[in-house]
Amino acid sequence: MLSPLIPLLTGYRNRRSLLWLYCFVGFVFEWFISLARRGLHINYFLPSNIYLLTEFVLVCFLFRSRLIMNRYAFWTLLFGLSALFIVHTVAKGPQEFNTSGAALFSLSYIVLSIAGLAQILQSKEVLFLDKYWFFWLCIAFLIYASGNILLFLFRLVMIKADFQLYRILWFYLYCPLNIAKNLFFAIALSRYAANGIRQPG
Amino acid sequence: MLRTVLDNPVNLIILGIVAMLALAMGIVFFVVLYQRRMLRHQMELKLLNEQKQKELLQASIQSEEEERMRIASELHDDVGATLSSIRLFLHSASKGKDPQLIDQSRALLDESIQKVRSISHKLQPSTLHRLGLKVSLEALADMVTKTGMLHMSCKMGKLPELDETTALALYRIVQELLNNIIKHSNATDIHLESTRDGNVFCIALSHNGQGLTDESFSELIYKKGAIGLKNIVNRIEVINAVIRFRKVSDNLFETVISVPVNN
């Protein structure tokens, strides 16, 4: 829960960047969901679903800032997946966590990250990977989404089979991956330069 | 045991998660390794280019020095010696009033003038300045044929208007190529031809000896020495031209210089 604070503090100087905004939104939602779950004891799946959608929109714009993408392809991806998610969430009931939607978004993050990494390899401007913020952003999403996609997709199957094991997995897989993602974001924000290819979002 | 593990869907999901994570790590690992390899490759290319530039510069300086030495030795050994003889003849003639000595001095003076003219011509071909590239190349072909060692034919069409730098560079390149053909190829027939294709003017030089190909030319210019070839590269770069060497058949080699021209 505290891990989003790392990129927020590390990248405070770049608080006007989209990446910092993304981290901030993540931090606010995580606190709110936690409060709803433990303090207020209300259904926390609705804010979780809203967070998934907001996260997806922000991620799309984050990748768009660096990834050379056809304008129509970008808007189709953004509106198409968002609409699919909304329809599916409404159909399923907004009070339920949309695991399929989360898995679908994870898949799109994996695809975007691989496309980003491929573009970095093709680019002649990027000489040192570790100094390029976008490289760390791609790594963050690739590892985070690869680790969680099956966890989201088979959530119900796992809960049905062994709820305790699912909780353990959530604690030992989702949480470390979330921390790793935030650490990578912190590195990305620390690689910020005012001009040129290193500018985040 | 394995079957029991695989029968449980939760185990399969965990295996899948591990596989996905391993794949993601693999992709990251590959990207880092590939980038490092590309970086190393780029550095090697840069070094090679720098080395080539250095060699070309050295060749240019060495060629200039050799030219200066040649002119200095011709002036010192030929013109200087003849002028000293004239001085002696004139000194003797002033004492004895011998008309024969004055005639000899006059003949030596003519010889000196001819030598100075020859040196000057080698430095800057007068025909090129006065009559243009076409006549100069025809005169060059004529001169090669007159040596009797080989036959050179020349078929020059209407040449486009070329600036002085381009014309001189082309003349020098052809001169150097001819020099190499005479020295190394054992050719008996040389043919010089010019063509024009749109905005590209081409000069083709073919011969029936043993010549160069693009590959052997690239190898030679990276070797030490080969100053003439390096000078060709320098001149080609200056006029934005392209030079290609190819083997047409066993006894026919062709060199084509293509230079962009304005309409």
Side-chain angles (χ1 to χ4, degrees):
Chain A
M1 235 168 65
L2 289 173
S3 67
L5 272 177
I6 306 168
L8 288 178
L9 294 174
T10 316
Y12 185 71
R13 276 185 307 169
N14 312 311
R15 59 190 174 280
R16 287 184 180 177
S17 68
L18 196 57
L19 182 55
W20 196 87
L21 177 72
Y22 169 82
C23 296
F24 181 73
V25 170
F27 178 70
V28 170
F29 266 101
E30 275 199 33
W31 272 93
F32 182 73
I33 290 165
S34 179
L35 186 74
R37 190 178 161 192
R38 286 172 192 158
L40 303 172
H41 300 289
I42 54 168
N43 187 302
Y44 58 91
F45 288 135
L46 181 64
S48 297
N49 287 334
I50 295 171
Y51 172 57
L52 281 176
L53 189 62
T54 317
E55 185 187 36
F56 174 69
V57 173
L58 286 171
V59 170
C60 280
F61 279 100
L62 257 176
F63 274 94
R64 200 202 179 192
S65 68
R66 280 290 153 241
L67 203 63
I68 300 165
M69 205 193 296
N70 183 300
R71 201 171 49 168
Y72 298 110
F74 170 76
W75 291 112
T76 309
L77 175 83
L78 183 64
F79 283 118
L81 289 192
S82 301
L84 202 67
F85 180 82
I86 292 166
V87 169
H88 194 243
T89 309
V90 171
K92 214 177 163 190
Q95 305 296 329
E96 284 286 313
F97 183 57
N98 190 348
T99 48
S100 313
L104 190 68
F105 284 159
S106 294
L107 183 69
S108 69
Y109 300 157
I110 293 172
V111 173
L112 285 170
S113 301
I114 291 174
L117 289 173
Q119 192 179 292
I120 291 171
L121 283 186
Q122 282 172 350
S123 163
K124 286 179 182 167
E125 285 177 74
V126 184
L127 289 179
F128 302 101
L129 287 176
D130 59 315
K131 290 182 180 166
Y132 187 30
W133 74 271
F134 188 57
F135 170 71
W136 293 106
L137 183 92
C138 291
I139 286 189
F141 279 114
L142 184 64
I143 290 173
Y144 172 77
S146 301
N148 288 328
I149 184 168
L150 293 180
L151 204 62
F152 286 140
L153 195 63
F154 296 108
R155 181 175 174 265
L156 293 177
V157 178
M158 288 181 83
I159 287 173
K160 211 173 170 183
D162 191 341
F163 181 68
Q164 202 56 35
L165 182 69
Y166 178 75
R167 283 190 69 179
I168 292 170
L169 266 179
W170 188 264
F171 188 76
Y172 285 107
L173 188 75
Y174 176 80
C175 294
L177 284 174
N178 199 29
I179 293 168
K181 181 183 81 169
N182 285 317
L183 283 174
F184 285 133
F185 285 159
I187 300 172
L189 279 163
S190 69
R191 296 293 186 264
Y192 170 81
N195 298 305
I197 55 169
R198 284 181 294 240
Q199 191 166 354
Chain B
M1 172 71 181
L2 185 70
R3 200 178 176 125
T4 328
V5 171
L6 292 179
D7 277 347
N8 189 345
V10 178
N11 289 342
L12 275 176
I13 293 165
I14 293 171
L15 270 175
I17 290 170
V18 172
M20 285 294 284
L21 270 174
L23 204 66
M25 301 279 194
I27 290 172
V28 174
F29 194 62
F30 168 77
V31 168
V32 172
L33 278 185
Y34 189 81
Q35 170 75 9
R36 275 191 190 172
R37 204 172 137 188
M38 267 186 17
L39 201 68
R40 203 166 49 232
H41 184 66
Q42 273 182 11
M43 293 291 276
E44 278 171 7
L45 268 179
K46 201 179 159 191
L47 268 173
L48 208 68
N49 265 334
E50 277 175 6
Q51 198 182 335
K52 190 191 163 193
Q53 292 294 329
K54 206 173 158 186
E55 274 184 15
L56 285 175
L57 190 70
Q58 272 176 348
S60 175
I61 294 167
Q62 197 174 336
S63 161
E64 199 181 314
E65 282 303 319
E66 277 179 7
E67 187 70 359
R68 282 181 185 185
M69 275 175 71
R70 189 185 65 77
I71 297 163
S73 77
E74 276 189 36
L75 283 173
H76 180 267
D77 300 345
D78 275 13
V79 184
T82 317
L83 286 174
S84 299
S85 306
I86 296 166
R87 188 177 177 276
L88 275 173
F89 284 161
L90 286 176
H91 184 71
S92 306
S94 67
K95 282 179 181 172
K97 293 183 180 173
D98 186 351
Q100 202 185 341
L101 281 174
I102 293 174
D103 284 345
Q104 276 182 332
S105 303
R106 192 177 293 136
L108 283 172
L109 262 177
D110 287 342
E111 195 185 318
S112 301
I113 290 164
Q114 194 55 43
K115 279 174 184 168
V116 170
R117 193 176 288 164
S118 165
I119 293 168
S120 152
H121 183 77
K122 279 176 191 165
L123 281 175
Q124 177 78 39
S126 57
T127 47
L128 187 68
H129 185 63
R130 284 187 286 117
L131 304 168
L133 182 65
K134 187 182 172 185
V135 178
S136 301
L137 290 176
E138 282 167 350
L140 196 64
D142 205 32
M143 205 172 75
V144 171
T145 307
K146 271 182 189 167
T147 58
M149 289 162 67
L150 35 77
H151 175 260
M152 183 169 173
S153 57
C154 188
K155 190 185 163 193
M156 306 292 287
K158 190 174 178 282
L159 264 57
E161 272 188 35
L162 299 166
D163 58 80
E164 266 187 48
T165 317
T166 310
L168 183 63
L170 286 173
Y171 181 81
R172 290 292 186 215
I173 292 167
V174 172
Q175 210 176 22
E176 183 57 38
L177 289 171
L178 271 176
N179 194 27
N180 288 342
I181 292 168
I182 294 166
K183 270 187 356 194
H184 306 294
S185 76
N186 297 321
T188 52
D189 269 306
I190 305 175
H191 181 67
L192 183 69
E193 195 175 341
S194 76
T195 51
R196 185 171 176 179
D197 183 15
N199 285 346
V200 180
F201 170 61
C202 299
I203 292 182
L205 190 65
S206 52
H207 63 88
N208 61 349
Q210 286 302 308
L212 291 175
T213 58
D214 279 339
E215 291 78 25
S216 54
F217 178 71
S218 305
E219 279 174 25
L220 280 171
I221 55 166
Y222 279 100
K223 282 186 178 169
K224 280 200 169 182
I227 295 162
L229 293 183
K230 281 170 187 158
N231 279 336
I232 289 177
V233 175
N234 273 335
R235 290 187 200 278
I236 286 287
E237 277 176 9
V238 167
I239 60 171
N240 288 324
V242 176
I243 190 162
R244 301 299 302 267
F245 295 84
R246 69 186 185 110
K247 184 181 181 178
V248 181
S249 65
D250 278 347
N251 282 322
L252 188 61
F253 282 82
E254 189 183 52
T255 308
V256 182
I257 308 151
S258 312
V259 59
V261 287
N262 296 326
N263 277 326

